[in-house]
Amino acid sequence: MTKQSLIKGTIILTVAAFITKLLGFGNGIMLANILGPEGVGLMMMAMPIIGLLFTLTTLGLPLAIAKLVAEAEIRGDKLRVKKILIISLTTIILLSIVIMIGAFFCANFLSGILLTDKRAYYSFLAVIPMVPIIAISAVIKGYFRGKQNMTPIASSQVFEQVITIGFIFILVKWLIPYGIEFAAAGAVLGSVIGEIFSLLYILLLFKWEKDKRFTLRHSFIKHARNGKGVFRDLLKTGLPTTGDGIILSIIGMAMPVLITQSLALAGVETAIATKQFGILLGYAAPLILLPGFITHSLSVPLVPAISEAHEKNDHMLIHKSIQQAIWVGLIVGVPWTIIIYLFAEPLTTLIYKSPEAAIFVKIMAPFFLLHYFHAPLQAALIGLGKAKAVMLNNLVSSVITLPIIFFLTSNPTFGIKGVAIAMNVGVVLGTLLHFSTISRLIGFHLNLMEFVKVILSGIIMGCGGLIMYRFVGNTNTLIQLGFTLTCSLLIYLIFLTSFKSTALKG
């Protein structure tokens, strides 16, 4: 199995994520046109539940697997790698069966508590079968991450998305005559089918690419029984990650309830609240975070890379890896933030036929620039063995965010805009806490002059983009935006290069 460098692994994942993101974005546009904001809102209410069920099932083991496998590889301990995989699979399979059965039996009760719109019940049911599929797949992906071989993960993502889009289209078209709630459930079910095919595919890759001497059949029970030490090591990283996942999942499930109840206090009806929720989280948020796949792709190999450097006590490599992650986030985040802020209305109108989503984009975009640093910083902390710090940082930002949502959203002056403002507070606070923790741990600091160069290049790009947009005039919107954005990005790269920014060199 070929080991890949941080940059090579990132490039492989970025290319796959780019393809996946484009396919997913096209899928989102299709769903927006077929289901409308109300149908998308029903989906968005049910989907956070999968996050909680997944977190409870995996116990944070996928990240722990990547970390421990990377450390075992440094020592050449093949037996430990085998034990890690066996213990993880045994734990996750047993947990997933229990949780899936429990979720089915408690579906009525849980949906009454977690779903503010009763029509989302069918989407909730469709989500449940996804739990064991994603969990087992996550273990195998964690193994590949630890081996620092990102090709199987990347190819499985693209394969899954292609299958998912096909089945979503078929199921939504088939179920839409029966009602929007069934069509939304069909979209979720399409994702489940995509996950099934993805799991089969990655299991096949695992069988082909693993070491010929590495077999799970032999002495499976023996390794499971004698793996107490490995299990403890897995939980040491996994449990804080689980705590963090539970916090984020609870926040994700609480938000629809809190938002709709707060909007009710502001005099907004449930159906309208569902529609507004869909516009904010189904339209505006994906547009804002569109290039986020790049920093996420960097974060995946960053955990084992930092773990390996930490195991070797190579402080220079740790600093270099984190610095690369920061620069990637900066170079990608600045131009996109400026573009979507300046052209929010034409973009949301062209993509979603929903110009009302533009106001949320404008409110959130400047602050969500920090989101491009959040995932890499979090991955670095986990790689350094500080998963507990990640959990505490995210807990603090979440505890502060929820009350702000309630107080602002229940005020008729803010309404749904209060949610966007509160989300800004959460992402800014969470990112700053992660950066502060890393700075204290390893003395990490940033070159502020490089930030100035990138941001100045972005501002010049924005001014040039506005001039281009007005110069093209009222032609076809797609042509006008396409020409403007292409010229804007060229201006950005020209000035970034002319300023001799070291960010371009990583």
Side-chain angles (χ1 to χ4, degrees):
M1 185 180 289
T2 305
K3 180 179 174 181
Q4 296 159 346
S5 67
L6 174 62
I7 295 301
K8 185 177 179 181
T10 300
I11 291 170
I12 290 170
L13 287 173
T14 300
V15 171
F18 177 70
I19 297 169
T20 304
K21 198 75 174 180
L22 282 180
L23 292 171
F25 204 62
N27 184 50
I29 295 170
M30 176 190 73
L31 288 175
N33 289 326
I34 298 174
L35 297 178
E38 198 172 348
V40 173
L42 292 175
M43 285 178 56
M44 298 305 296
M45 285 182 181
M47 289 308 290
I49 296 171
I50 189 63
L52 178 60
L53 297 178
F54 173 74
T55 300
L56 293 173
T57 302
T58 58
L59 294 177
L61 295 185
L63 277 176
I65 293 165
K67 182 178 184 297
L68 294 182
V69 168
E71 292 169 355
E73 285 289 302
I74 291 297
R75 300 191 292 270
D77 193 343
K78 300 289 184 182
L79 181 60
R80 181 170 172 82
V81 173
K82 185 174 182 178
K83 282 185 177 181
I84 290 168
L85 199 53
I86 288 172
I87 297 298
S88 303
L89 281 171
T90 304
T91 304
I92 279 178
I93 289 170
L94 292 174
L95 275 174
S96 63
I97 292 170
V98 172
I99 289 173
M100 185 174 68
I101 293 172
F104 269 121
F105 277 106
C106 300
N108 276 321
F109 173 74
L110 290 173
S111 62
I113 296 173
L114 303 175
L115 304 176
T116 55
D117 194 318
K118 293 180 180 179
R119 294 173 299 170
Y121 170 73
Y122 300 102
S123 295
F124 172 81
L125 287 178
V127 157
I128 297 172
M130 202 184 291
V131 175
I133 302 163
I134 295 180
I136 296 170
S137 181
V139 170
I140 306 300
K141 288 177 181 178
Y143 167 78
F144 280 122
R145 287 169 70 175
K147 289 280 188 176
Q148 298 186 50
N149 180 12
M150 305 302 156
T151 305
I153 301 173
S155 58
S156 69
Q157 288 174 349
V158 176
F159 180 70
E160 175 198 330
Q161 191 70 308
V162 171
I163 298 293
T164 298
I165 290 173
F167 276 99
I168 285 178
F169 180 77
I170 293 168
L171 290 170
V172 170
K173 281 288 189 180
W174 176 47
L175 293 170
I176 193 70
Y178 298 96
I180 196 170
E181 62 270 34
F182 294 104
V188 176
L189 193 58
S191 300
V192 176
I193 296 171
E195 290 288 351
I196 292 172
F197 277 91
S198 176
L199 174 59
L200 294 174
Y201 176 77
I202 203 164
L203 284 173
L204 190 62
L205 291 180
F206 173 74
K207 183 179 179 181
W208 283 346
E209 296 192 26
K210 67 181 174 60
D211 192 322
K212 299 295 182 184
R213 297 165 294 174
F214 189 95
T215 57
L216 295 180
R217 296 188 301 274
H218 303 309
S219 306
F220 188 97
I221 296 175
K222 178 184 174 181
H223 285 307
R225 286 177 176 173
N226 299 329
K228 292 180 181 178
V230 171
F231 187 64
R232 283 195 298 268
D233 290 340
L234 284 166
L235 292 183
K236 186 177 178 182
T237 298
L239 285 181
T241 306
T242 301
D244 181 49
I246 290 173
I247 291 166
L248 295 177
S249 298
I250 290 174
I251 297 300
M253 291 187 302
M255 277 185 67
V257 179
L258 186 62
I259 291 169
T260 51
Q261 293 300 322
S262 301
L263 288 172
L265 291 174
V268 180
E269 296 178 359
T270 301
I272 297 174
T274 301
K275 181 179 178 180
Q276 291 181 344
F277 184 76
I279 291 172
L280 174 61
L281 293 186
Y283 293 179
L287 183 61
I288 292 168
L289 301 176
L290 183 60
F293 68 88
I294 298 175
T295 50
H296 174 73
S297 298
L298 180 60
S299 302
V300 172
L302 191 60
V303 173
I306 297 266
S307 297
E308 183 178 308
H310 190 53
E311 184 73 13
K312 292 178 179 177
N313 206 27
D314 190 341
H315 298 291
M316 185 176 294
L317 182 57
I318 292 173
H319 279 258
K320 181 182 177 182
S321 298
I322 297 173
Q323 196 77 262
Q324 285 175 335
I326 295 293
W327 292 147
V328 169
L330 184 68
I331 290 172
V332 171
V334 166
W336 185 247
T337 297
I338 292 172
I339 284 170
I340 60 172
Y341 182 85
L342 294 177
F343 305 107
E345 190 166 338
L347 281 170
T348 53
T349 303
L350 176 66
I351 296 170
Y352 300 117
K353 299 177 182 176
S354 177
E356 59 266 36
I359 185 62
F360 302 120
V361 173
K362 284 183 172 290
I363 292 172
M364 297 166 67
F367 298 93
F368 265 69
L369 173 60
L370 290 183
H371 181 82
Y372 293 96
F373 310 130
H374 188 273
L377 290 173
Q378 183 161 300
L381 283 171
I382 293 171
L384 290 168
K386 299 299 178 182
K388 186 177 179 180
V390 170
M391 180 187 71
L392 292 174
N393 290 345
N394 288 336
L395 177 61
V396 170
S397 63
S398 299
V399 166
I400 291 174
T401 300
L402 285 180
I404 296 175
I405 289 176
F406 175 76
F407 287 117
L408 292 182
T409 309
S410 58
N411 186 331
T413 304
F414 293 99
I416 192 69
K417 294 176 187 176
V419 180
I421 296 169
M423 289 172 69
N424 290 341
V425 173
V427 74
V428 170
L429 184 58
T431 305
L432 292 179
L433 286 172
H434 282 350
F435 179 78
S436 174
T437 304
I438 285 182
S439 295
R440 290 199 310 270
L441 281 173
I442 61 173
F444 182 78
H445 63 277
L446 294 172
N447 185 338
L448 294 179
M449 183 54 66
E450 292 305 316
F451 269 74
V452 171
K453 289 178 182 178
V454 176
I455 292 172
L456 184 58
S457 299
I459 292 171
I460 295 170
M461 175 207 73
C463 295
L466 285 174
I467 293 170
M468 290 291 177
Y469 189 75
R470 288 166 186 163
F471 173 76
V472 176
N474 296 321
T475 58
N476 179 277
T477 306
L478 180 60
I479 295 173
Q480 188 179 15
L481 275 175
F483 178 78
T484 300
L485 299 188
T486 301
C487 292
S488 297
L489 290 175
L490 286 173
I491 292 170
Y492 174 69
L493 289 174
I494 289 168
F495 276 91
L496 197 61
T497 305
S498 67
F499 288 148
K500 298 179 180 179
S501 173
T502 57
L504 287 173
K505 303 173 185 178

